[in-house]
Amino acid sequence: MSLINLDNISIAFGHVALLDKITLRINNNERICLIGRNGEGKSTLLKIITQELAPDQGKVEYQQGVRIAQLSQEPQFDPNDSVFHAVAKGLGIVGELLEQYYYLAQQIQGKHDQTLLNQLENIQQRLEAKEGWDLEQKVKTVLSKLDLPIDNKLGTLSGGWKRRVALAQVLVKQPDLLLLDEPTNHLDIDTIIWLENTLLSLNGGLLFVSHDRRFVERVATRMIELDRGKLTDYPSNYATYLQKKQEMMEVEATQAAKFDKQLAKEEVWIRQGIKARRTRNEGRVRTLKKLRQERAHRRDKIGQMRLHTLQSEVSGRIVIEAENISYAYEDNLVIQDFSTLIMRGDRIGLIGGNGVGKTTLLKILLGDLIADKGEIKHGTKLQIAYFDQLRDQLNPEETVIDAVAQGREMLTINGQSKHIISYLADFLFAPERVRSPVKSLSGGERNRLLLARLFTNPANVLVLDEPTNDLDIESLELLEELLCTYTGTLLLVSHDRYFLDNVVTSTFIFEGNGKINEYVGGYQDWLEQRSPILETLKPENPVAKQSKPKTRTKLNFNQQQELKQLPEKIDVLEIKLTELQTLASQADFYQREAEQINQSLTQINSIETELKILYERWELLET
């Protein structure tokens, strides 16, 4: 049975519908990824599901008693709350009772106040009746898994740690449907992998928004996409979605080209001379009017962000040399005896947990922070551009145009003059949007704005601290493409594993206790090179990462027969999977009986799992 049905939902802000007559059915035990460009309405759809917003038309039906919990993009907390109390609030009345119990327990210490003792006993009885102590243990388990300090005040935590608290708060609720809006933002890689494993064992439905392609690839069993107000359903994993999306875009482009060609032909005909006008038939005129109207209502795909770095003077061959640098913060050793030589053209990724000192190392390398010990030498002709993950370079009270223009009306981009409004359009800011204050922008828009500001000045050293947060996948891929062709030097902090693998050529790994080691390649390369004792970041596919025997073992007869039969078994399953996915992609699929829908989706998931096992077995036998 479905948890939630959305039927013919529409909502508009202004004259264009953000959601245009969309239909969606969310079933139990589905893990659905909602994707779309920034501003397409993903967060709005989540707010309609949680009843924070009411649609202009359509209806939302809920399974009776369904429990929904949501992780928002920017969670708000009382800075005076402790971590434990903030997470316990996710339990509703039980959380309030636990908070009251511990508050009274502290008040009673050293006193013999019978009134307080009676209150404490009453709360204890109520907790026992609601199995509150079991729920308290669940809170502590989640806090332990996320490595959260129980007694710390929220006001003392960084944005990344607050994100973990918000995540813990929704996980302890154990809802029937969990809604996650960009859950991997500000999480380090080991926490992201823990979250993946947690969601894979989740009992209930999951609907999440994410730009982290590795996360989506591993977690999602169904993809849905918002594009120009319409919702398209892809009952498949991320890899299959990419293939089907490409096919759909090619069909759409072909149909649009045919339509535009027909419209152009009719427009030429209507503008012919006097003789043609006398003989034209009114049916053809009506057809032309209909074509014009249809074209006027067609919503073309929003253009892609256009990125370009400004050509700059080539730096010296040596960019930065660090020799035996160390740094401690409040008796916490962050960096110990670290040495490196960064050469022109190096693309280096920095990987480590939240708070280990990645940003600190960047500031020391750039000369913005003085190391306690060691020496930093800079090369010649350095022009440095720095992207700040906290977006501190943006004044929230400034307008979009002022944040980038800084008093200029024209910019010089690689020798060509460009008006500031035209330049901002390259970063998908419409002319009517450039006068808006920075504080009104979404997270993705602020990231685009900071990139726009960053690239107004020439640079031969790019320092990017978490540039991928809140960017949609298309913008992310464009940024990747730009950085791969960038001829200068790149220092990159990121927890996006795909992004790191596609961009960097070496990595600085923060391995604890101030130790930083350098490895060749990206994230996946590091996993293969790392020391066996480093088990903090587990590989996504433990079977594929098992250590292989040093000598090749000869297969016995049964294994040889199994190896021969595996390709045929895989072929049969892939044909069956394609048939089921084709059935599930039909427009009327989610209008069928819930039992039939669940049966088909269960089969798809089962076959995908079986295929994965067979492929792993095939690889093992062959090697």
Side-chain angles (χ1 to χ4, degrees), residues 180-434:
L180 302 178
D181 197 351
E182 297 289 4
T184 63
N185 275 2
H186 307 295
L187 296 183
D188 52 37
I189 294 176
D190 55 341
T191 307
I192 291 172
I193 294 173
W194 173 84
L195 178 60
E196 288 173 352
N197 293 329
T198 299
L199 296 178
L200 288 173
S201 60
L202 186 72
N203 291 320
L206 170 66
L207 175 62
F208 68 98
V209 176
S210 181
H211 67 269
D212 187 322
R213 290 157 292 176
R214 186 70 61 86
F215 182 83
V216 173
E217 187 178 70
R218 189 162 184 233
V219 174
T221 57
R222 177 180 163 199
M223 306 291 299
I224 56 176
E225 181 179 28
L226 267 176
D227 183 15
R228 290 162 285 175
K230 300 296 184 182
L231 188 70
T232 307
D233 204 314
Y234 301 87
S236 59
N237 58 22
Y238 181 63
T240 306
Y241 152 76
L242 290 176
Q243 178 184 345
K244 292 186 178 296
K245 174 66 175 178
Q246 182 63 33
E247 293 170 357
M248 185 178 291
M249 288 175 64
E250 290 171 359
V251 170
E252 181 181 338
T254 300
Q255 291 175 342
K258 287 181 179 178
F259 178 92
D260 291 343
K261 184 178 180 180
Q262 176 65 21
L263 178 59
K265 179 181 175 182
E266 294 301 311
E267 291 288 4
V268 169
W269 171 80
I270 199 69
R271 287 172 175 78
Q272 285 179 357
I274 298 296
K275 182 178 179 181
R277 294 186 184 182
R278 287 173 182 164
T279 59
R280 69 188 180 190
N281 62 71
E282 292 304 314
R284 194 168 178 179
V285 173
R286 286 194 296 272
T287 299
L288 174 58
K289 289 180 179 179
K290 185 177 179 181
L291 287 172
R292 286 174 174 171
Q293 187 177 31
E294 188 176 338
R295 180 63 185 88
H297 285 87
R298 189 173 83 192
R299 290 174 66 176
D300 290 324
K301 190 172 181 65
I302 299 173
Q304 289 186 328
M305 188 167 65
R306 291 188 286 276
L307 296 176
H308 35 66
T309 55
L310 300 192
Q311 297 173 0
S312 63
E313 187 177 9
V314 176
S315 71
R317 185 166 172 268
I318 295 176
V319 176
I320 301 173
E321 183 178 3
E323 187 174 350
N324 296 324
I325 62 170
S326 296
Y327 185 82
Y329 178 73
E330 294 183 353
D331 298 325
N332 178 30
L333 187 60
V334 178
I335 302 167
Q336 182 178 15
D337 295 327
F338 175 65
S339 299
T340 189
L341 181 63
I342 300 174
M343 307 296 290
R344 182 178 64 225
D346 283 350
R347 297 202 297 272
I348 301 171
L350 282 71
I351 299 177
N354 287 335
V356 298
K358 299 185 296 296
T359 302
T360 299
L361 177 60
L362 286 180
K363 290 182 177 180
I364 290 174
L365 292 176
L366 297 177
D368 296 335
L369 190 65
I370 304 300
D372 298 333
K373 188 183 88 171
E375 187 177 2
I376 297 289
K377 296 178 182 177
H378 286 170
T380 59
K381 303 177 182 177
L382 299 188
Q383 294 177 288
I384 299 172
Y386 184 40
F387 181 101
D388 172 25
Q389 66 162 318
L390 300 177
R391 308 185 185 112
D392 286 342
Q393 299 169 36
L394 297 176
N395 180 350
E397 301 302 325
E398 274 189 322
T399 63
V400 168
I401 193 169
D402 288 338
V404 175
Q406 296 177 315
R408 296 170 292 179
E409 185 174 333
M410 303 296 294
L411 301 174
T412 302
I413 308 296
N414 294 329
Q416 302 290 323
S417 290
K418 196 164 194 173
H419 195 276
I420 181 62
I421 292 180
S422 177
Y423 176 75
L424 286 170
D426 288 348
F427 292 82
L428 306 184
F429 289 103
E432 60 271 18
R433 188 72 165 143
V434 300

Side-chain angles (χ1 to χ4, degrees), residues 27 77 130 177 220 224 289 364 578 590 622:
N27 298 306
F77 292 110
K130 295 180 179 294
L177 176 63
I224 56 176
K289 289 180 179 179
I364 290 174
T578 300
Y590 286 96
E622 281 202 321

Side-chain angles (χ1 to χ4, degrees), residues 87-96 98 135-136 139 169 172-173:
V87 174
K89 285 180 178 178
L91 299 174
I93 184 64
V94 173
E96 293 176 13
L98 286 170
L135 294 173
E136 179 200 27
V139 172
Q169 193 179 68
V172 298
K173 292 181 181 180

